[in-house]
Amino acid sequence: MNVLICWGLKNKIKSWMWTAAGKASILLFVASIILLFLAMSSFDVPAFFHCSADMMNNIIIGIATNLVGIIVTISFVQYFLDKQDENIERKEEIMKIKRYNRYMQTLIKRYLMFYIAITTKIVDRGNIDISKAFDHKFDLSDMSDMYKPSLYMSDGLLEPAIVLFYKAEEKMCDYMMDMLENIDFKYNEGLYNILEEFLVKSSSFDMRGVILGNMKLHGEGTRKKLSDTIADDLANKSHDWLGMFKRNELSDNLIYPYACLYYEIQDQVKILKKYNNYIDSV
């Protein structure tokens, strides 16, 4: 801890030395040292000064002392100017975050709509309150209808819910990347970490290629779509799919990507909740 404090202090001093106040202070400090050295040395006072050596020493010491006072004054002035600039930068960064957040809330709402759709059986979707999505609880079997229509009139009544979910997730991830690229997050590093966490989580457990691709495949020796077979397996509660996943017994099973999705979306929603809490606090 002491090493970190010293390192931070060293960086602040180094930064200060390159400011106008820092450069002026160094020059004045050198001049003050030279004058004090001159005052302590023995020298003959030129006749045209009409004063004694002691009086001249007192004058030199007084000038040196005044120079130190000037150093302190300009350093404090620079400090308060820097603080003022910092406050302005902080406010500008927060305003930029809030501008981005206006559209982000729309993207989050769409994400949660389809998050609810893929984690709720189609017969129960009309009973779900989207405003309570952060408290939504579901089992893996509740995801068995993800390949069925979302039932949202505005987004293609017959388009599979999982397709719309991945579109909403992708659009939100792209917007998060824009935020990371266009906002410095100099004063809101916590928000940067939240956005980065969501993007890392989304890319690390991305199974969309397999999950969406299964809609185009058919089971071996049958005309039944592979996605329909998987939906039946997910709905079958006699299988302990999540237990097998935790025991690393699903690596070669068709259900593996869906177990990954089950845990991924729960983590994503927790991160989005952290995002909203952070935005409410700024």
Side-chain angles (χ1 to χ4, degrees):
M1 181 65 71
N2 290 333
V3 174
L4 291 176
I5 293 173
C6 292
W7 182 78
L9 185 61
K10 182 179 178 181
N11 282 339
K12 286 184 177 180
I13 293 174
K14 190 178 293 185
S15 298
W16 173 82
M17 288 174 63
W18 287 101
T19 64
K23 293 176 182 178
S25 296
I26 292 172
L27 291 174
L28 291 174
F29 181 74
V30 171
S32 178
I33 293 297
I34 292 173
L35 289 173
L36 289 174
F37 179 78
L38 186 63
M40 290 184 292
S41 63
S42 299
F43 67 96
D44 295 328
V45 179
F48 59 81
F49 278 113
H50 303 292
C51 64
S52 65
D54 288 340
M55 183 179 294
M56 179 59 71
N57 285 342
N58 289 335
I59 293 173
I60 293 174
I61 291 173
I63 294 173
T65 304
N66 286 334
L67 290 179
V68 173
I70 293 172
I71 292 172
V72 174
T73 300
I74 63 175
S75 296
F76 270 106
V77 170
Q78 183 68 51
Y79 172 80
F80 286 116
L81 289 175
D82 289 343
K83 275 294 182 182
Q84 187 177 23
D85 291 342
E86 181 180 309
N87 289 333
I88 293 172
E89 283 183 352
R90 190 189 301 273
K91 289 178 181 178
E92 288 178 348
E93 183 175 286
I94 290 174
M95 291 303 295
K96 195 170 186 179
I97 288 171
K98 289 184 176 180
R99 285 196 299 271
Y100 268 93
N101 179 63
R102 291 180 193 135
Y103 185 54
M104 175 61 80
Q105 288 305 315
T106 300
L107 296 177
I108 290 176
K109 183 179 179 181
R110 285 185 59 80
Y111 172 91
L112 294 177
M113 284 169 54
F114 301 118
Y115 158 73
I116 292 292
I118 67 171
T119 59
T120 306
K121 291 185 177 180
I122 197 165
V123 296
D124 299 323
R125 288 180 191 168
N127 301 323
I128 299 297
D129 185 357
I130 299 298
S131 65
K132 298 180 180 179
F134 288 120
D135 300 318
H136 177 57
K137 305 295 182 183
F138 61 95
D139 297 321
L140 186 62
S141 60
D142 294 322
M143 299 175 65
S144 59
D145 286 344
M146 68 171 67
Y147 289 110
K148 292 183 179 180
S150 69
L151 300 185
Y152 290 120
M153 296 290 293
S154 60
D155 294 283
L157 184 62
L158 299 180
E159 195 162 9
I162 187 62
V163 173
L164 294 173
F165 169 80
Y166 276 128
K167 286 182 179 179
E169 182 198 34
E170 183 177 10
K171 198 166 186 178
M172 187 166 61
C173 285
D174 289 344
Y175 195 71
M176 287 182 176
M177 283 298 301
D178 286 341
M179 291 181 70
L180 293 180
E181 291 172 357
N182 296 312
I183 302 175
D184 291 335
F185 293 102
K186 185 177 180 181
Y187 304 101
N188 292 275
E189 189 176 351
L191 184 58
Y192 177 93
N193 293 335
I194 291 172
L195 296 174
E196 184 181 50
E197 183 183 5
F198 188 94
L199 292 172
V200 170
K201 187 74 66 176
S202 299
S203 61
S204 299
F205 299 94
D206 186 9
M207 294 289 174
R208 74 184 63 208
V210 176
I211 292 174
L212 296 180
N214 286 338
M215 293 190 297
K216 302 176 183 178
L217 301 176
H218 292 80
E220 187 176 350
T222 177
R223 298 184 63 183
K224 187 176 183 179
K225 286 184 178 180
L226 188 57
S227 57
D228 292 335
T229 301
I230 291 171
D232 292 339
D233 288 339
L234 289 173
N236 189 348
K237 293 186 178 182
S238 64
H239 296 291
D240 183 19
W241 298 121
L242 295 180
M244 294 172 66
F245 179 82
K246 292 177 181 177
R247 295 191 297 271
N248 295 319
E249 298 173 1
L250 273 185
S251 56
D252 296 326
N253 195 293
L254 290 172
I255 301 299
Y256 177 80
Y258 301 87
C260 288
L261 178 63
Y262 172 83
Y263 289 111
E264 177 194 1
I265 56 180
Q266 291 186 71
D267 289 340
Q268 285 181 334
V269 170
K270 289 177 183 177
I271 297 170
L272 290 177
K273 187 174 183 178
K274 284 199 296 184
Y275 170 87
N276 280 346
N277 289 339
Y278 190 100
I279 291 296
D280 290 341
S281 68
V282 298

